[in-house]
Amino acid sequence: MTSYRLPKGGLIDRQSRLGFSFDGQSVTGHAGDTLASALLANGRQLVGRSFKYHRPRGILTAGAAEPNALMTIGSGGRTEANTRATMQDLYDGLEARSQNRWPSLDFDIGSLNGLLSPFLAAGFYYKTFMWPAKLWEGLYEPFIRRAAGLGKATYEADPDRYEKRWAHCDLLVIGAGPAGLAAALSAGRAGARVIILDEHSLAGGSLLSEAATIGGESAPAFAKRLADELETLPNVRVLTRTTAFGWYDGNVVGAVERAQKHVRHPDPNKPVERMWRIVAKKALLATGTEERPLVFGGNDIPGVMIAGAMRCYLNRFAVAPGQRTAIFTTNDSGYALARDLEAAGVQLTAIIDSRAESQFVYTGKARLLKGAVVSDAKGGKALSSVNVTAANGATEAIAVDALAMSGGFSPIIHLACHRGGKPQWSDVHGAFMAPSETRGLVLAGAVTGTTGLSASFAEGAARGATMAQDLGFAAQPFDAGPVDGDIVASPASPLWNIRGVKGKAFVDFQNDVGRKDLGLAVQEGYGDVELAKRYTTSGMATDQGKLSNVTAIGLLAEARGVSPAEVGTTTFRPFYTPISFGALTGPHHGHHFQPVRKSPLHDWAKKHGAVFVETGLWYRSSWFPRAGETSWRQSVDREVLNVRTNVGICDVSMLGKIEVCGKDAAEFLNRVYSNAFLKLPVGKARYGLMLREDGFIYDDGTTSRLADDRFFMTTTTAYAAGVMTHLEFCAQGLWPELDVRLASVTDQWGQMSVVGPKARATLQAIVDGDISDTAFPFLAAKEVSLFGGRLHGRLFRISFSGELAYELAVPAGYCESVADGVLQAGKEHGIQPYGVEALSVLRIEKGHVTHNEINGTVIPSDLGFAKMVSTAKPDFIGKAMLGREGLVAQDRPSLVGVVPLDPTTTFRTGSHILAKGAAQTLENDQGYVSSSAFSPHVGSTIGLALVKSGHARHGEEVVVWNGLSKEFTVARLCNPVFFDPANEKLHV
Amino acid sequence: MASLIPCPHCGSRPKEEFTVKGAALARPAPDAGTAAWIDYVYLRDNPRGAYEEYWHHTSGCRRWLVVSRNTATHEISGSRDVVLKLSAEAL
Ligand SMILES: [Zn+2]
């Protein structure tokens, strides 16, 4: 036990007692603790194993940059891997498990990797596992993954709710530290709509860890008073546990609020996380700084901690870091920690200040070693001593169990760089500063390099007031009052390379990248910052190098003998911290991601025993099995034969339906279809081909003229939405002078096909008017009265099967009863419902195409539709490009039928067509089978295929080759119309 | 990820409501010749900076718009209904 809870102090509720578990052990903490502070209070410093070498690791920070204390939280569907213990609020019942160790944290076999470390240096993945490449999948990758795993995600569904929302404000303040609070109050008091957010559970930022007083009040109490006032202002929203993860165009900031990640039993009616998109007229970045580690040997041993983090645990959580502590600092901030440790009665053994001279006058009891450095820390799972190299080169070992380090401060400028601005190196600040150009985003406080509380309050207040004034609010800068006891750490020179280092000195703790690795990268020619990053993997872990990038750049700069300004930084991109998939997904999962579309005949089909298939969003009836049928083929064959012999009814409601109205509707259709529509008579339907501007077929369907200025268009199911959007583009963008209006009516009309030799007899029983061939010939399309005038519908004599066929459209709500009426009327004629499988067999038998054939690479003549390309029309979509060389070539693939020579053999859709006797290789490919089915009419498998010059090759013997399963079938090319090529049945 | 598109009819709306079609080009005359049509159908400038694009307010008013977007910053400088013709720049 080294770290421990102090008897008093801290922002914790000592009355509360929260039980939690760590690797199965029961531990307790208090409300106000983070998981990290509670573990430290219990003397638990070893909390994880490192990624590559499996070295014991402790808690390094108290914030979002934590690279070591990554844990798996929760169980079942709530398992969350790689949670930073420093950001996780403690709750009663929390279950935490360490990661990347086997069999246990204390005894980890993977730590043997440390002995192999000469082989695991930078670039080892590339060098060691380069060859032979085929061993990657089976051997190297599983080995690396097992050895270098982070936490494991669960396969169970997440039981919790997530939500997304927008917010709009005058001023968004990112970071509720001294500058942020002052800015929010200055603008908020004047009535501006302010949102202030902070990633921690409490507003206050550095004030929560501060021992200074403000106007005589303790810093945390002062912060609470400010936050409380903000909460009372109706125009201000305070979001805690909320991380701004990205800054986007339009001054939109993305943020995730962890609304219920700190409770044991989330309220099921509220989200656990909420994704905010905040549109800010003005935004203020007050994110403070990240304190940098120092790169000495063993700087990763549990017990070594960032100085500011140690101060946070001490002051905010009342946790003493150890029994004998030391501070290794490059700047004055170490003295603030020294003062606070000594005030809390924690033994401070030594302060090692790398500077030979400093202005600060230390008056405490600890030894002060000026101009000295810690070269190495010693210890295994816990720190035991440090080796100090004095200014004169003398070394000594000092026994300590906790060491704070401060390598200077890097402003947290990530968001300011998300829109392309490049960070600027400042020798004065010894850090990268925000880009000079940050449209709409203003910075205040430590993130600008400002030091000290007074200056941060003043800067935040001034910026907040100015921005509010710019928006027309009479804002005054908030006055924080006098600050007492603040140790202001003015910038100091960075210390990149430390003399006398012997042990492993880490730069990127999470990816186990050491000082030597960066040196090696430079040596081997990968000194460019982007190359070094990838070669060493520095900055590529889940923390994205928050703690390590600047140090890595400093070391690269020294190795190359240039300024960090010349090395530059890698690109900052969202997200600032890892964001859960839940937050990104929000409510859009399952049926909220892919809703189910049901036809108005869905329940009717279900009632009649349909088996459904998902096609896109739609559920379509595939077939209607009957008693005794044991395979789908039996049902489908029966349905097909029944249509060809008697009559069948099929749901075609999912076809896209669009009403095209206006006095120029005919002219409009004439321009969007390749064939003529201008003179389509009222009461007639016509099959139309719609092309894309590049000449290829886009979609097909029938369009009927109901009146001079009213058409009813059908589209394929899959392209319904696309065709609507396309028509809108044509109407609005290409020919706005045409008087045409479009309305999607897919959902308003239910539609059923009634098909077969007895279709007329069936329908005549419910249609009031005469539908004989004379009165209602092929392609007639008219409004009809049904059931003695009780209902009106639209009847179309069109056929997809080659049979006498009608499509009947009725208002969707009447669909089910009409379909039952049709079944009733057709009973004596042997009517049966049929599904899309039979529909498909019938259309393949008739040689009709669908999007199997209209695959984006075919033009009308490829499908035998050359006559549907009008030569008389001056213009239609696709006309100009149809004459291109490739589109008039003689050997273009064209539609052809294909049948096996031996009717007992078969082939599959997608199989390739090879010339007879040709070797079975793709080089000999002549085309492919686009649709196939067993045809009860033909008595064998039949197919439609797109084959080179196919139209001219009827009768040719070919091989249908399935290269995937190495099967082939001898077959013959033929007319694609297998059923009634003379179209006699259509006109009966 | 977060952009808002200003619709002249509906105001500023989340980009998820829109569908982008690409460069806002004027359709050539039917007899403009192969070169003009190849240009219209296939060739794009892909500039860094200001760009005019067709956007459809699919989940809103269903009007087609010409949106002026900076391809480097995604900043949108304006939008107008497609009937208000293309700017001289796009033509
Ligand atoms: Zn709109």
Side-chain angles (χ1 to χ4, degrees):
Chain A
M1 281 267 281
T2 49
S3 55
Y4 58 94
R5 183 86 74 186
L6 292 164
K8 62 183 174 57
L11 306 178
I12 48 167
D13 175 9
R14 289 176 191 263
Q15 303 306 311
S16 73
R17 194 184 142 87
L18 307 180
F20 68 103
S21 73
F22 178 65
D23 281 344
Q25 270 183 304
S26 296
V27 219
T28 59
H30 298 300
D33 263 326
T34 61
L35 176 54
S37 70
L39 286 168
L40 285 172
N42 283 282
R44 188 80 217 194
Q45 282 177 312
L46 168 62
V47 294
R49 288 276 175 172
S50 76
F51 189 62
K52 203 156 78 178
Y53 303 125
H54 288 239
R55 287 171 65 100
R57 288 285 166 83
I59 294 161
L60 193 61
T61 73
E66 177 60 35
N68 291 343
L70 305 184
M71 296 176 187
T72 300
I73 305 287
S75 58
R78 291 203 173 95
T79 302
E80 198 156 316
N82 309 331
T83 303
R84 289 154 299 164
T86 50
M87 297 301 289
Q88 175 64 51
D89 295 321
L90 192 69
Y91 56 83
D92 194 52
L94 185 148
E95 296 172 45
R97 291 179 298 287
S98 60
Q99 300 178 163
N100 206 24
R101 80 288 189 270
W102 185 82
S104 77
L105 188 54
D106 283 309
F107 178 75
D108 174 41
I109 285 178
S111 61
L112 293 174
N113 280 3
L115 302 177
L116 299 174
S117 64
F119 309 104
L120 296 178
F124 90 101
Y125 292 106
Y126 306 108
K127 290 174 185 164
T128 314
F129 300 119
M130 195 76 138
W131 186 90
K134 65 175 167 193
L135 289 185
W136 253 110
E137 255 179 55
L139 186 64
Y140 302 149
E141 197 183 321
F143 165 76
I144 294 171
R145 288 209 185 281
R146 192 165 47 238
L150 287 165
K152 282 203 174 94
T154 176
Y155 284 97
E156 286 178 52
D158 188 331
D160 292 326
R161 293 166 68 98
Y162 294 81
E163 109 181 352
K164 296 185 186 186
R165 62 163 296 181
W166 285 86
H168 299 256
C169 63
D170 295 315
L171 176 64
L172 169 66
V173 179
I174 302 162
L181 286 172
L185 266 182
S186 304
R189 282 178 178 173
R193 284 184 308 162
V194 175
I195 296 175
I196 177 168
L197 56 81
D198 196 281
E199 61 185 345
H200 290 279
S201 56
L202 295 174
S206 65
L207 295 171
L208 302 174
S209 311
E210 185 50 67
T213 58
I214 299 125
E217 198 171 4
S218 82
F222 181 75
K224 182 172 186 322
R225 194 159 56 73
L226 265 52
D228 287 349
E229 182 184 341
L230 286 170
E231 293 274 10
T232 63
L233 295 174
N235 50 316
V236 175
R237 185 191 287 277
V238 182
L239 294 171
T240 53
R241 299 188 179 93
T242 304
T243 304
F245 57 71
W247 178 47
Y248 301 91
D249 53 291
N251 224 28
V252 173
V253 170
V256 166
E257 180 187 0
R258 291 171 299 280
Q260 292 196 88
K261 285 289 185 187
H262 58 293
V263 295
R264 183 179 193 172
H265 301 293
D267 180 340
N269 295 313
K270 292 177 182 164
V272 290
E273 291 187 26
R274 186 180 285 119
M275 162 91 85
W276 291 83
R277 283 188 284 176
I278 303 167
V279 187
K281 285 184 185 153
K282 308 253 180 194
L284 183 82
L285 193 67
T287 38
T289 58
E290 198 71 72
E291 193 171 10
R292 296 192 293 254
L294 286 160
V295 188
F296 51 86
N299 61 347
D300 64 329
I301 295 171
V304 180
M305 195 184 273
I306 299 287
M310 191 179 280
R311 194 163 176 236
C312 174
Y313 289 116
L314 182 78
N315 291 341
R316 177 174 169 188
F317 299 105
V319 173
Q323 314 284 351
R324 288 172 61 80
T325 58
I327 298 168
F328 177 20
T329 188
T330 61
N331 61 80
D332 289 347
S333 76
Y335 296 99
L337 171 62
R339 179 196 63 191
D340 295 353
L341 283 170
E342 292 186 307
V346 178
Q347 195 201 327
L348 178 62
T349 306
I351 303 172
I352 301 105
D353 188 333
S354 65
R355 299 169 298 178
E357 299 298 330
S358 75
Q359 302 292 315
F360 189 81
V361 182
Y362 172 64
T363 55
K365 292 184 202 142
R367 273 179 72 195
L368 175 58
L369 293 94
K370 287 196 169 192
V373 294
V374 171
S375 299
D376 281 282
K378 298 284 178 186
K381 288 176 217 159
L383 182 65
S384 56
S385 67
V386 291
N387 286 354
V388 175
T389 306
N392 62 7
T395 59
E396 75 171 293
I398 301 174
V400 293
D401 59 2
L403 175 68
M405 55 180 168
S406 176
F409 295 87
S410 299
I412 301 175
I413 54 170
H414 299 64
L415 260 65
C417 304
H418 279 173
R419 292 170 69 189
K422 286 279 178 198
Q424 317 275 314
W425 174 258
S426 159
D427 279 325
V428 175
H429 294 101
F432 282 96
M433 311 302 288
S436 47
E437 175 61 38
T438 55
R439 302 149 292 186
L441 186 70
V442 173
L443 284 73
V447 71
T448 67
T450 299
T451 53
L453 288 177
S454 284
S456 283
F457 279 128
E459 194 177 43
R463 298 269 187 280
T466 307
M467 288 196 282
Q469 286 158 9
D470 289 350
L471 294 170
F473 295 94
Q476 293 300 316
F478 162 78
D479 181 8
V483 175
D484 191 37
D486 183 23
I487 295 178
V488 179
S490 21
S493 291
L495 174 64
W496 307 127
N497 275 292
I498 292 172
R499 61 185 186 271
V501 172
K502 294 198 173 64
K504 270 196 202 321
F506 287 92
V507 178
D508 182 331
F509 290 76
Q510 209 187 339
N511 264 357
D512 267 356
V513 178
R515 179 170 82 150
K516 278 186 182 166
D517 296 317
L518 290 161
L520 192 62
V522 173
Q523 240 176 57
E524 300 196 345
Y526 298 100
D528 179 271
V529 66
E530 295 284 0
L531 294 177
K533 169 179 172 176
R534 282 150 186 90
Y535 194 67
T536 63
T537 72
S538 179
M540 292 177 72
T542 63
D543 64 354
Q544 293 284 291
K546 283 187 182 56
L547 221 50
S548 59
N549 279 347
V550 177
T551 311
I553 290 163
L555 287 167
L556 285 174
E558 278 191 0
R560 285 167 52 185
V562 299
S563 155
E566 196 167 320
V567 175
T569 59
T570 53
T571 309
F572 288 90
R573 292 189 181 87
F575 300 83
Y576 173 66
T577 50
I579 299 301
S580 71
F581 282 110
L584 291 171
T585 306
H588 307 291
H589 55 89
H591 287 322
H592 295 285
F593 174 73
Q594 178 162 335
V596 172
R597 287 188 83 177
K598 287 180 180 172
S599 141
L601 283 175
H602 184 89
D603 291 344
W604 170 85
K606 203 171 171 181
K607 184 167 75 182
H608 293 286
V611 173
F612 291 94
V613 62
E614 250 179 90
T615 58
L617 302 182
W618 287 102
Y619 276 54
R620 303 184 68 168
S621 32
S622 305
W623 61 86
F624 294 79
R626 298 214 156 174
E629 289 172 350
T630 52
S631 79
W632 66 274
R633 262 286 305 284
Q634 281 180 301
S635 311
V636 173
D637 287 358
R638 168 188 45 77
E639 289 171 15
V640 169
L641 286 170
N642 189 62
V643 167
R644 297 258 183 249
T645 324
N646 296 312
V647 55
I649 176 170
C650 181
D651 180 12
V652 293
S653 301
M654 48 293 285
L655 287 176
K657 309 179 201 78
I658 299 168
E659 298 253 344
V660 184
C661 310
K663 73 176 168 48
D664 296 322
E667 172 61 27
F668 177 76
L669 291 171
N670 215 39
R671 296 186 195 183
V672 296
Y673 281 124
S674 68
N675 49 325
F677 269 82
L678 197 55
K679 292 182 180 139
L680 178 68
V682 172
K684 280 286 186 188
R686 181 168 291 170
Y687 176 66
L689 275 186
M690 224 176 256
L691 309 189
R692 311 188 306 215
E693 287 285 24
D694 60 9
F696 295 103
I697 305 179
Y698 176 52
D699 199 43
D700 66 346
T702 55
T703 289
S704 307
R705 191 168 202 166
L706 303 174
D708 267 344
D709 60 353
R710 176 176 289 262
F711 292 79
F712 180 76
M713 173 187 283
T714 63
T715 74
T716 61
T717 302
Y719 281 60
V723 168
M724 183 67 189
T725 304
H726 171 64
L727 296 183
E728 283 169 330
F729 180 76
C730 295
Q732 298 168 19
L734 300 185
W735 309 304
E737 69 279 9
L738 296 184
D739 173 17
V740 56
R741 283 171 299 283
L742 304 157
S744 166
V745 293
T746 303
D747 294 332
Q748 280 70 21
W749 292 93
Q751 199 155 316
M752 61 203 87
S753 281
V754 182
V755 183
K758 297 170 184 168
R760 181 181 295 125
T762 299
L763 275 179
Q764 190 65 81
I766 64 161
V767 177
D768 299 335
D770 177 13
I771 56 168
S772 68
D773 190 51
T774 329
F776 207 90
F778 183 54
L779 295 178
K782 285 174 190 165
E783 188 171 300
V784 290
S785 165
L786 303 166
F787 303 105
R790 279 189 288 171
L791 183 68
H792 283 72
R794 290 167 177 179
L795 190 64
F796 310 91
R797 188 163 162 199
I798 50 182
S799 176
F800 200 39
S801 58
E803 295 291 342
L804 169 66
Y806 301 83
E807 286 187 15
L808 176 61
V810 295
Y814 291 97
C815 220
E816 183 169 349
S817 52
V818 171
D820 276 337
V822 173
L823 276 184
Q824 187 64 34
K827 207 169 181 180
E828 57 178 301
H829 308 294
I831 196 168
Q832 293 176 8
Y834 66 99
V836 286
E837 285 296 334
L839 180 89
S840 180
V841 173
L842 292 161
R843 73 97 187 163
I844 295 170
E845 287 182 340
K846 184 62 183 172
H848 278 312
V849 297
T850 64
H851 277 291
N852 280 25
E853 286 71 37
I854 303 174
N855 61 10
T857 71
V858 299
I859 56 171
S861 56
D862 297 343
L863 301 184
F865 294 142
K867 283 183 183 160
M868 292 184 67
V869 178
S870 163
T871 49
K873 292 198 282 188
D875 188 16
F876 59 83
I877 299 280
K879 179 181 166 94
M881 297 296 273
L882 266 178
R884 283 183 292 157
E885 193 184 345
L887 302 192
V888 296
Q890 283 308 303
D891 64 344
R892 283 189 61 78
S894 63
L895 186 73
V896 66
V898 53
V899 282
L901 286 190
D902 174 356
T904 63
T905 58
T906 183
F907 50 74
R908 284 172 181 276
T909 303
S911 298
H912 285 259
I913 306 288
L914 308 175
K916 183 184 176 186
Q920 293 178 359
T921 66
L922 271 182
E923 285 70 37
N924 292 328
D925 178 35
Q926 299 280 302
Y928 75 99
V929 177
S930 51
S931 299
S932 69
F934 177 82
S935 163
H937 173 73
V938 176
S940 75
T941 293
I942 59 169
L944 299 179
L946 292 163
V947 178
K948 272 183 192 169
S949 310
H951 61 282
R953 295 169 67 175
H954 293 183
E956 182 181 327
E957 192 180 313
V958 293
V959 171
V960 182
W961 172 54
N962 180 348
L964 288 179
S965 56
K966 301 192 167 41
E967 294 163 1
F968 66 94
T969 311
V970 185
R972 187 168 38 79
L973 300 181
C974 60
N975 182 346
V977 184
F978 296 89
F979 176 79
D980 185 26
N983 288 335
E984 284 161 359
K985 300 236 177 184
L986 290 178
H987 299 280
V988 295
Chain B
M1 111 100 212
S3 347
L4 293 163
I5 310 281
C7 173
H9 309 292
C10 311
S12 211
R13 302 295 306 167
K15 77 159 190 277
E16 288 85 349
E17 293 182 0
F18 296 81
T19 313
V20 63
K21 184 181 171 76
L25 303 175
R27 187 170 184 264
D31 56 357
T34 314
W37 274 96
I38 294 277
D39 214 37
Y40 173 67
V41 172
Y42 291 113
L43 301 181
R44 296 293 178 269
D45 288 341
N46 194 21
R48 179 184 169 83
Y51 203 37
E52 294 211 317
E53 290 168 325
Y54 287 128
W55 286 72
H56 184 233
H57 197 181
T58 313
S59 303
C61 60
R62 294 200 68 91
R63 290 297 299 182
W64 279 92
L65 315 173
V66 176
V67 172
S68 308
R69 183 176 69 93
N70 184 310
T71 57
T73 65
H74 303 302
E75 209 76 53
I76 289 169
S77 55
S79 73
R80 59 190 181 280
D81 192 283
V82 70
V83 299
L84 298 177
K85 298 292 182 230
L86 302 179
S87 72
E89 200 182 315
L91 291 169

